[in-house]
């Protein structure tokens, strides 16, 4: 991108609404509650013929550094440092408040060019608030309505005036407007082209990794430890992260896109609208991820909610990796590790052989093993087995343990083929698919895993009736 714009202002002035408008999609959570945004979020943006990166920030509050509000302010100050241009946003309807003046001094000391954005300009009485904003010393305010998309042409002109045409336009730049979540996930087992295994080797396409778990499991701390910087807000308070934040990263020469998500509590405990929005955003991150890392608190693992999250990931067909965090707090690691392995195999039989790694996000222990597990699981998730190998294997399986007889008639399995990857999906051609016992299907799946080294990922099996080549001739004779 040619330049970066940080949207700055006190809580509830509409920063995330403008961010979504410029990004062209609803990425940041928006609610009437002040202080919804906590982490800074960066995304490609477009304002008519201007292309740039836009940074959404937490609402500025004057608070001690040790508090949550103080740490949020520190994230905003980092955004100011990173940006080439500041959108200082005020609420035209509410007018200028003391926090606006305090924050204006912080922005002024940065020495960055500033565009004063007067939001909610469509509201009754907004004119007086806009006139009052002249006092901040940033020049003429640009009246906009981020919610309704009004005033954007004036905002474009203000950006060019602040940066200059040469800085605002980079003629040699090729704009890539492909969004991170545009790739639709094909779930139809009969569509082998929904996702191709070759995409694993597409180095230009970042691997999408979502980090999920219960509140206070250490998800944001883990991502910060992986990328080696305090990119995401962390602390002892549960539920700090509210919306899914993506972070671009590279590991071992491979491009990654990490998604931090809000902690997921049991549905019965989720009452507030804002938390429901946060959980929905996390679920969306799971659906569009390739690999999902579930962070368990090793001191209290396998809570009911942990298993429900894992089950959701499996049903969505994502590649699952388990990270047992806070391993530095475990007194008897060898005994605990044996216990966790036994519980993993017993409680998650549908992904037998799932990669489970012990880590400490606080100390950085086990992160190399975690990344190796992610790469291995992603490779398995993309794996494909030829039809010839599958049917040679099937002959031996049928000879050793043929399908049972149902209602006095033995079921026949004709052939097996792999229809798709991501996750591996197979089609079994057989007589009377509706009569095939699920126990025999599980037998086939478990043996497929072992024979072709497909551990720890969901395996889809569709039963299809084989066509009778003589059915048409029989009808003609009648």
């Amino acid at each position: 991108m040619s330049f970066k714009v940080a949207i700055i202002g006190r809580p509830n002035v509409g920063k995330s609404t403008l961010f979504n408008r410029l990004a062209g999609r609803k990425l940041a959570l928006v609610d009437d509650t002040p202080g919804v945004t906590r982490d800074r979020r960066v995304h490609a943006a477009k304002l008519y013929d201007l292309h740039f990166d836009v940074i959404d920030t937490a609402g500025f509050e004057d608070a001690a550094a040790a508090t949550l509000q103080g740490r949020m302010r520190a994230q905003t100050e980092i955004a100011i440092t990173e940006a080439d241009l500041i959108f200082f946003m005020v609420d035209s309807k509410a007018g200028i408040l003391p926090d606006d003046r305090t924050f204006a001094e912080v922005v002024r000391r940065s020495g960055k060019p500033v565009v004063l954005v007067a939001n909610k300009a469509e509201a009754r009485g907004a004119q007086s608030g806009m006139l009052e904003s002249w006092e901040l010393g940033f020049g003429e305010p640009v009246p906009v309505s981020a919610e309704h998309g009004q005033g954007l042409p004036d905002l474009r002109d203000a950006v060019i005036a602040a940066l200059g045409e040469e800085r605002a336009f980079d003629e040699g730049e090729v704009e890539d407007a492909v969004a991170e979540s545009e790739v639709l996930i094909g779930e139809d087992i009969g569509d082998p082209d929904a996702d191709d295994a070759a995409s694993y080797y597409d180095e230009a396409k970042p691997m999408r990794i979502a980090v999920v778990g219960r509140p206070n499991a250490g998800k944001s701390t883990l991502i910060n430890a992986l990328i080696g910087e305090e990119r995401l807000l962390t602390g002892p308070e549960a539920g700090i992260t509210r919306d899914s934040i993506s972070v671009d990263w590279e590991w071992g020469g491979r491009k990654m896109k990490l998604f931090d998500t809000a902690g997921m509590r049991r549905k019965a405990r989720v009452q507030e609208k804002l938390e429901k929005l946060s959980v929905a955003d996390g679920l969306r991150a799971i659906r569009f991820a390739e690999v999902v890392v579930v962070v368990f608190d090793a001191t209290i693992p396998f809570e009911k909610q942990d298993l429900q999250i894992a089950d959701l990931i499996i049903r969505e067909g994502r590649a699952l990796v388990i990270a047992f965090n806070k391993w530095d707090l475990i007194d008897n690691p060898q005994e605990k590790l044996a216990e966790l392995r036994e519980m993993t195999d017993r409680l998650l039989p549908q992904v037998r052989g799932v990669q489970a790694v012990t880590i400490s996000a606080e100390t950085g222990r086990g992160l190399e093993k975690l990344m190796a597990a992610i790469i291995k699981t992603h490779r398995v998730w993309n794996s494909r087995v030829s039809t010839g190998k599958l049917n040679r294997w099937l002959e031996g399986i049928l000879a050793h343990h043929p399908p049972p007889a149902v209602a006095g008639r033995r079921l026949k399995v004709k052939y097996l083929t792999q229809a798709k990857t991501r996750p591996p999906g197979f089609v079994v051609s057989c007589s009377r698919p509706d009569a095939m016992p699920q126990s025999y299907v599980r037998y086939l799946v478990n043996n497929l895993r072992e024979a072709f080294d497909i551990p720890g990922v969901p395996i889809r099996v569709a039963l299809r009736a084989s066509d009778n080549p003589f059915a048409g001739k029989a009808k003609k004779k009648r």
Side-chain angles (χ1 to χ4, degrees):
M1 295 296 157
S2 56
F3 59 93
K4 277 188 178 180
V5 175
I7 306 175
I8 308 296
R10 59 179 173 79
N12 215 28
V13 295
K15 298 181 298 298
S16 294
T17 306
L18 180 60
F19 173 87
N20 288 342
R21 175 72 60 182
L22 296 173
R25 62 200 63 222
K26 292 182 179 179
L27 295 171
L29 292 185
V30 176
D31 191 70
D32 292 336
T33 309
V36 172
T37 303
R38 286 175 171 173
D39 291 287
R40 69 186 193 277
R41 180 198 289 270
V42 185
H43 200 273
K46 183 179 179 182
L47 183 59
Y48 298 103
D49 52 350
L50 297 178
H51 300 279
F52 52 93
D53 276 344
V54 62
I55 310 173
D56 189 21
T57 65
F60 174 85
E61 293 182 79
D62 200 2
T67 63
L68 176 58
Q69 288 75 19
R71 298 197 301 276
M72 288 162 61
R73 172 177 171 167
Q75 288 284 318
T76 301
E77 289 172 345
I78 292 172
I80 294 173
T81 304
E82 290 180 350
D84 301 299
L85 175 67
I86 309 296
F87 282 177
F88 191 98
M89 183 173 274
V90 296
D91 185 337
S92 303
K93 191 166 60 173
I96 301 303
L97 300 182
D99 275 350
D100 291 316
R101 292 185 172 87
T102 305
F103 203 15
E105 285 302 316
V106 174
V107 173
R108 193 175 289 109
R109 285 197 299 269
S110 72
K112 300 291 177 72
V114 179
V115 172
L116 180 59
V117 182
N119 192 29
K120 306 180 187 178
E122 82 287 1
R124 183 179 299 173
Q127 190 66 31
S128 60
M130 276 188 281
L131 292 173
E132 195 178 347
S133 66
W134 279 89
E135 299 173 14
L136 297 175
F138 293 131
E140 183 178 358
V142 180
V144 303
S145 171
E147 186 174 357
H148 300 104
Q150 298 171 3
L152 297 184
D154 293 336
L155 185 60
R156 171 205 175 267
D157 294 343
V159 170
I160 296 171
L163 289 176
E165 287 200 12
E166 189 175 339
R167 185 75 180 88
F169 296 100
D170 184 356
E171 294 180 3
E173 181 185 11
V174 179
E175 173 62 24
D176 180 8
V178 179
E180 64 206 32
S181 59
E182 278 184 347
V183 180
L184 298 178
I185 301 167
E187 290 298 334
D188 181 7
I189 198 168
D191 180 14
D193 298 321
D195 251 325
D196 193 85
S199 63
Y200 172 79
Y201 301 101
D202 183 1
E203 295 298 324
K205 195 175 180 184
M207 186 193 301
R208 301 187 302 276
I209 304 169
V211 180
V212 304
R214 288 185 287 116
N216 218 25
K219 301 178 292 297
S220 300
T221 307
L222 171 59
I223 293 180
N224 284 344
L226 286 171
I227 65 177
E229 64 173 281
E230 293 297 310
R231 173 65 180 80
L232 300 169
L233 201 61
T234 61
E237 304 91 346
I240 289 178
T241 303
R242 280 179 168 165
D243 50 358
S244 298
I245 302 294
S246 66
V247 179
D248 292 315
W249 181 53
E250 193 170 302
W251 185 84
R254 181 71 202 271
K255 293 179 181 178
M256 309 274 178
K257 189 177 281 288
L258 302 173
F259 291 86
D260 188 23
T261 62
M264 298 180 184
R265 297 194 298 165
R266 290 205 304 271
K267 191 174 181 180
R269 292 186 178 181
V270 179
Q271 302 294 334
E272 295 181 6
K273 175 191 170 188
L274 183 55
E275 188 173 357
K276 289 179 181 178
L277 291 172
S278 298
V279 171
D281 206 33
L283 296 177
R284 180 178 174 275
I286 290 174
R287 293 187 181 103
F288 286 103
E290 296 171 284
V291 181
V292 182
V293 178
V294 184
V295 181
F296 286 14
D297 185 336
T299 61
I300 44 171
F302 290 107
E303 295 279 294
K304 184 179 179 181
Q305 184 65 1
D306 290 328
L307 295 173
Q308 288 180 337
I309 293 170
D311 185 61
L312 169 68
I313 295 162
I314 294 163
R315 283 188 280 113
E316 288 292 336
R318 305 301 95 197
L320 171 67
V321 173
I322 295 174
F324 292 110
N325 192 26
K326 306 184 183 180
W327 198 246
D328 52 311
L329 302 180
I330 301 299
D331 295 327
N332 47 349
Q334 291 300 324
E335 293 176 23
K336 189 68 173 179
L337 184 58
E339 179 190 341
L340 290 176
R341 283 175 175 166
E342 184 276 328
M343 292 177 74
T344 303
D345 291 339
R346 174 166 50 85
L347 297 172
L348 296 172
Q350 63 272 54
V351 281
R352 183 178 294 180
V354 64
Q355 294 284 309
V357 183
T358 58
I359 66 167
S360 170
E362 195 70 40
T363 65
R365 175 185 172 181
L367 299 186
E368 289 288 327
K369 289 183 179 179
L370 175 62
M371 289 309 303
I374 289 171
I375 296 293
K376 180 180 179 181
T377 302
H378 189 254
R379 185 179 289 114
V380 171
W381 191 62
N382 282 276
S383 62
R384 185 179 290 278
V385 185
S386 70
T387 301
K389 287 182 180 178
L390 284 171
N391 284 286
R392 284 192 292 274
W393 165 82
L394 184 62
E395 286 178 13
I397 287 292
L398 295 177
H400 177 69
H401 185 187
V406 177
R409 294 165 56 198
R410 183 165 293 280
L411 300 173
K412 295 180 180 178
V413 176
K414 305 295 179 60
Y415 69 87
L416 176 67
T417 187
Q418 185 170 357
K420 70 184 287 288
T421 61
R422 305 162 66 88
F426 299 87
V427 174
V428 178
S429 177
C430 60
S431 62
R432 297 187 293 154
D434 54 331
M436 181 72 74
Q438 281 302 306
S439 58
Y440 195 76
V441 174
R442 284 195 297 272
Y443 167 73
L444 291 177
V445 168
N446 290 335
N447 278 275
L448 267 171
R449 284 194 195 282
E450 189 174 337
F452 298 106
D453 195 22
I454 317 176
V457 299
I459 292 180
R460 303 278 193 255
V461 173
L463 304 175
R464 300 220 175 132
S466 53
D467 295 330
N468 183 351
F470 301 104
K473 295 179 181 179
K475 289 179 181 178
K476 287 179 182 178
K477 287 181 180 179
R478 291 179 185 176

